[in-house]
Each structure stands twice: as C-alpha cells, then as structure tokens.
Amino acid sequence: MHKFLLCTLVMLSSSTYLVCSDYRTEALHEEVKSKKNPILTRDTHPVVYAMVENLAAAAGINMPRYISVYDAEGMVVTRSGMIYKVTKDINAWVDVAGDLHICQEILTDLPYDVVEGIVAVAIAEKVSNKPAKLAAVGVGTFAATVAGVYGLNKMYDLKLGSLLSSIFYDRYSCYSAKQDALEGLFFLLILPALLAVNVAANNLQKSIDIKATEFIGTQQVIDGIKGRVKLKDMYSKENIFSRIANALQLKSIYNFLFYPVRAYTEDERVQYLSSLAL
C-alpha cells in the first residue's frame, strides 16, 4: 500500500513538472514572438526577466542592467555592393559592462529548461568576470605587440615609419589601396591579441561550465549545450569546403593537433560535465 502511494505521488509530481515546464515554454515563446522590442524588461518580457533574475540571485550577483536580443541571421554588404546572409553566433553571453545578450531564436525555438541552461552559462561568465579578463588579455597583448614592433624598429633601424609614409602619402596611390594597407597593418598588429584572447577564452570555458552547475543542475547545463548545438544545425549550412574537410576527417586532425589552444567542442564539454556528475 505504501509503495503504491509512493509511486502515485512520484507520477503526480512528474506530471505536474511536465505540465509546468510546458506552460513555461509556451509562455516564453509567446512572449518573445509577440514583443519585438530588442531590450527586454520586467514589464515587456516578465518570463525572461524572471528567469534571468532567479539565475542572478542563485549565482549571488547583481541583475544585468540590460537584457537584449539579436537575430540569428543578418545581412552583410561588401565593398563591391554585394549583399549576402550570414549566421551569427547563436548563443547567450555577457559583455564587459555586464549586460546580457541572447539570440532571439534561443528564446523562440527551445524549451524553457534548455533556455535556462544556456542563460545559466552566460550568467556564470558574468560571475567569473570573463569579459573583463579577456579585455585585459587583449589590451595587454596588443600593447606588448606595439611595444615589441617599436623596439625592433629602433634596434635594427627597420625604417618602418618611412615605409608607412611612402604608402600613405603617395599621390599616385588610390584611396582603396591605402585603406587596404592600413587594414593589413592593423590586422598584423592585432592578430597576436586575437589569438591570446581566443586561448584565454578556451581555457576559461571549463571553469565557467562548472560555475554554472553550482546554481543550476548539471543536467540542465548539459541540455543547454546540446540544445544550442541542435539550434545551430538548424540555421547553419555546410559549404563545399566544410564537406570536404569532414570527408577527409580534417576536423579531427585539427582538434588533435591544436588541443592546447583550440576551443573545447560541445561533445568534450558534455563529456566533462557528465564525468563530474558520476
């Protein structure tokens, strides 16, 4: 008799959870689809706002001042006037100011619990102060690069200043050529900073995932990672180069060779979190 009552209570609680989860998902989707303002507030988007507020409280941090959404797809205009569609990073993240940005398709296409898992990782980034750390790494590396180039120019008399002057003050050189030279120079100077920021971001990922599990269930963080991958597959299309790379297993070779510096794959993140839950 006791076993029957216990089973009945478990079934009732499971059914109640599923109904509640379905209701929250429906309310979330309807709320985001019906309101088109890019800034989410307590008045315009109470479901999303309450989700973020609860996560921030569980993480022990202040509520992000702004919560904004952006579309998964955007248009790019080239110099020649060509317009083509690109897929943006389908994710939730925080910037240096601590504001939260969420891809709109995450809020409209995924279940509530999965969305909560994705946003929890973004809140963990805020807790870990990831944006400020990456900004410091980028600025520091860029300053070191400029100082290094200046020192080498002085030490070996490379006459880089004269070279730049000959490019930018050449009356026979067109504006586009000067612009290309300027962009190329800037890219060379900023490339080490970009690489350093990328490596730092990769190394922070595991600690951020673990931090997210401290104020939300591990399985929910895993579901968030898997849900984001599934959503990315819905909006991303392989090109001819990626198909050739997959056929030749170049991605696996790349992941093996560049393991210390590359980003962790979603499968690796899921496996690591699953091992912690055992």
Side-chain angles (χ1 to χ4, degrees):
M1 183 65 178
H2 293 293
K3 290 183 178 179
F4 174 76
L5 290 175
L6 179 61
C7 291
T8 302
L9 289 174
V10 170
M11 292 176 63
L12 287 175
S13 61
S14 299
S15 300
T16 303
Y17 173 79
L18 291 175
V19 171
C20 181
S21 179
D22 290 341
Y23 171 77
R24 291 189 302 177
T25 297
E26 184 179 351
L28 172 66
H29 292 176
E30 181 61 29
E31 175 179 279
V32 178
K33 289 178 180 178
S34 61
K35 304 290 179 59
K36 299 301 180 183
N37 47 306
I39 305 299
L40 283 57
T41 66
R42 187 193 301 272
D43 295 329
T44 62
H45 295 78
V47 177
V48 179
Y49 195 92
M51 175 198 295
V52 177
E53 193 173 38
N54 291 336
L55 289 172
I61 60 172
N62 294 328
M63 180 73 178
R65 183 172 182 180
Y66 294 104
I67 305 172
S68 63
V69 295
Y70 62 94
D71 293 327
E73 296 179 326
M75 307 303 295
V76 173
V77 182
T78 64
R79 287 186 186 177
S80 59
M82 293 182 59
I83 302 175
Y84 61 95
K85 185 181 296 185
V86 295
T87 301
K88 302 177 184 177
D89 185 22
I90 300 177
N91 205 353
W93 51 280
V94 292
D95 57 24
V96 177
D99 298 332
L100 176 63
H101 307 269
I102 310 173
C103 180
Q104 179 157 311
E105 281 70 15
I106 288 178
L107 299 174
T108 57
D109 296 2
L110 295 176
Y112 182 95
D113 292 340
V114 175
V115 174
E116 194 173 31
I118 295 173
V119 176
V121 175
I123 295 297
E125 291 181 2
K126 184 176 174 68
V127 175
S128 304
N129 207 16
K130 175 184 176 181
K133 291 178 180 177
L134 296 185
V137 170
V139 172
T141 305
F142 179 74
T145 302
V146 173
V149 171
Y150 178 80
L152 290 173
N153 183 55
K154 281 287 188 180
M155 183 179 298
Y156 296 103
D157 195 20
L158 300 177
K159 295 182 172 57
L160 295 179
S162 301
L163 178 61
L164 292 175
S165 298
S166 64
I167 294 175
F168 295 118
Y169 293 104
D170 183 5
R171 70 177 65 182
Y172 300 106
S173 179
C174 62
Y175 174 77
S176 60
K178 294 179 181 179
Q179 186 178 9
D180 289 340
L182 181 61
E183 290 178 354
L185 174 63
F186 181 74
F187 176 75
L188 290 176
L189 289 176
I190 203 172
L191 180 60
L194 295 176
L195 294 176
V197 168
N198 187 61
V199 173
N202 297 342
N203 291 331
L204 285 172
Q205 189 61 66
K206 279 188 177 180
S207 61
I208 290 172
D209 289 343
I210 295 173
K211 180 66 68 174
T213 64
E214 294 178 2
F215 51 86
I216 196 173
T218 301
Q219 187 57 49
Q220 206 166 345
V221 176
I222 292 175
D223 291 342
I225 296 172
K226 291 181 177 180
R228 194 172 73 86
V229 173
K230 183 178 179 180
L231 189 61
K232 286 168 58 179
D233 292 339
M234 292 169 56
Y235 286 89
S236 300
K237 180 182 178 182
E238 285 187 324
N239 54 38
I240 184 64
F241 300 106
S242 61
R243 291 183 183 183
I244 293 174
N246 287 335
L248 299 177
Q249 296 185 339
L250 296 181
K251 189 173 183 180
S252 299
I253 297 174
Y254 169 85
N255 287 339
F256 176 77
L257 294 176
F258 294 93
Y259 178 78
V261 296
R262 66 169 173 81
Y264 294 108
T265 66
E266 283 80 4
D267 289 339
E268 289 171 342
R269 292 172 62 190
V270 168
Q271 290 173 6
Y272 182 72
L273 291 174
S274 298
S275 66
L276 296 178
L278 296 178

